[in-house]
Amino acid sequence: MSLVFGAVADDLTGGLELAAMIRAGGVPCAFVTELPDSVSDPAIVVARRTRVAEPALAVADIGRVGAWLIERGARQLFFKYCATFDSTPHGNIGNCADVLRQLTGSRLAAFCPSFPEAGRRVFQGHLFADDRLISESPKRYDPLTPMTDPDLVRVLQQQTATPVGLIPQQIVRAGLGAMTQHCERLIADGIGFALTDAAVPDDLAALAALTVSWPLMTGNSSIAAYYPALWRERGLVDANDSVTRLPPVRGPGVVLAGSCAEKTMRQLEVFARDRPVLMLDLAAVSDADAAVTAALDWALPRLADGPVAIATSADPDAVAAVQVKLGQRRAATLAEEILSKLAQALRISGVRRFLIAGGETSGAVLDRLAIHSLRAGAYRAPGVSQALSEGATPLAFCLKSGKLGPEDMLLPMLASMEQGEQP
């Protein structure tokens, strides 16, 4: 089979979730962070760290991956970003989509960030987090990509010179014919990008049917759950494809949290009811290596009794104070440096199961461990997916978006890695 689906993700947690969605649909899907020599699966997700990169660097990186996928015959490119449309007025969604549109020659590319299962919905172009606009949710306090404008047409238009339109809910609900006609009108009007409304899973299914043959599609991972069945209907993948379950991974387990999302903070609180949590205060760190050594000395004796958590997470006021002291970028890179070096030291000490909270933290950890590909397990729920590294001594990972997952997920997820995927 040829390469049916070539995706590039702007961070690792979302990329892994996308690969897990495809695998849950019964289609083998590779997950890599660096471009491999070849692709044998019908789908591949290349996860990069472009979400908060300098815009010019992000565009170059996404373009490089897109060109590589096209050279290998990818039938469709998919650009994956967060359901909360994490970006700034300078990028990196619209600007990266521009380069992919140029590579594919797409007349129109759709943007579908909605993730109803996680409470992220778009209505009349406005993004909601559960029952409130994204600009009224905790996402407005994000230390790197605060969302203060819920109008995604306006947000996206700030990042691109390509005219942006909307496929509103009434058109989505009217069916495939109505959507197709609406898209032709947008193209005739010179529109190159279209935000899509989606509030319920049926909306995603309808949009998947509309876009399954488009050369370029963009969005959150949720819409991709509907593609495998459509590929089978069209004979694009083997109807008998299946994926093997992940085996158990024994050995100590740890949580490393760099996300400052409210959900991650709550998950750490719940974890602390049963197991120790070390909260690192970045404002008090004068030497990263010394902080790593102290955290390692704290963790190793406790791992004999079960998992532990180490976090640089903090509430909005504490984050603001650290950013004032260190600067926004230095505060983020310090957290990544400490947690990634900790992961390296913990692996040497025998830790085999890692739950990493935060997209940037996940990228930093895998980079430090020199892990460039993972075997993704099947998607289970928002923020709940696991993966295995290759090699003689595999490591188990859950790369968790800071904003997702049940409050009590940390300990059960580590236990699931030890048990392996169940039928």
Side-chain angles (χ1 to χ4, degrees), residues 100-109 192-193 214-217:
L100 296 178
R101 182 168 176 255
Q102 292 165 7
L103 285 169
T104 58
S106 299
R107 296 190 303 162
L108 183 67
F193 289 156
W214 289 17
L216 173 63
M217 179 60 184

Side-chain angles (χ1 to χ4, degrees), residues 103-313:
L103 285 169
T104 58
S106 299
R107 296 190 303 162
L108 183 67
F111 289 71
C112 184
S114 296
F115 197 173
E117 191 178 2
R120 311 298 189 251
R121 299 174 175 87
V122 179
F123 177 68
Q124 301 302 319
H126 288 66
L127 178 59
F128 287 79
D130 297 316
D131 62 347
R132 57 183 58 196
L133 290 166
I134 193 69
S135 54
E136 299 173 2
S137 76
K139 178 62 185 164
R140 68 188 187 274
Y141 299 122
D142 189 293
L144 295 178
T145 55
M147 289 298 291
T148 57
D149 186 351
D151 185 338
L152 294 190
V153 173
R154 187 164 55 214
V155 170
L156 181 59
Q157 192 64 84
Q158 291 178 313
Q159 301 176 21
T160 174
T162 302
V164 180
L166 176 68
I167 304 176
Q169 187 180 83
Q170 63 268 26
I171 298 296
V172 175
R173 299 284 173 87
L176 184 58
M179 286 190 291
T180 301
Q181 291 177 7
H182 182 79
C183 289
E184 289 298 332
R185 288 193 295 270
L186 291 176
I187 293 169
D189 290 340
I191 302 297
F193 289 156
L195 234 296
T196 62
D197 278 359
V200 296
D202 284 350
D203 295 336
L204 295 180
L207 290 164
L210 171 71
T211 61
V212 64
S213 296
W214 289 17
L216 173 63
M217 179 60 184
T218 85
N220 183 54
S221 58
S222 46
I223 192 171
Y226 299 89
Y227 283 142
L230 295 169
W231 296 336
R232 287 194 176 87
E233 288 177 6
R234 289 158 174 76
L236 297 171
V237 296
D238 191 332
N240 297 316
D241 268 345
S242 61
V243 294
T244 57
R245 297 187 183 95
L246 297 183
V249 173
R250 316 288 187 214
V254 299
V255 175
L256 297 176
S259 170
C260 295
E262 185 177 59
K263 179 59 69 71
T264 294
M265 297 292 287
R266 178 60 183 154
Q267 288 163 341
L268 290 168
E269 289 177 9
V270 173
F271 182 91
R273 296 172 185 169
D274 299 297
R275 296 297 304 150
V277 176
L278 176 63
M279 302 296 292
L280 300 176
D281 180 4
L282 294 181
V285 173
S286 57
D287 180 84
D289 289 335
V292 169
T293 298
L296 194 64
D297 289 344
W298 174 90
L300 291 180
R302 292 167 171 82
L303 282 171
D305 297 322
V308 301
I310 303 171
T312 58
S313 310

Side-chain angles (χ1 to χ4, degrees), residues 298-333:
W298 174 90
L300 291 180
R302 292 167 171 82
L303 282 171
D305 297 322
V308 301
I310 303 171
T312 58
S313 310
D315 62 37
D317 290 341
V319 169
V322 171
Q323 289 181 335
V324 168
K325 179 179 180 180
L326 302 178
Q328 184 186 65
R329 189 65 257 174
R330 175 53 184 157
T333 56

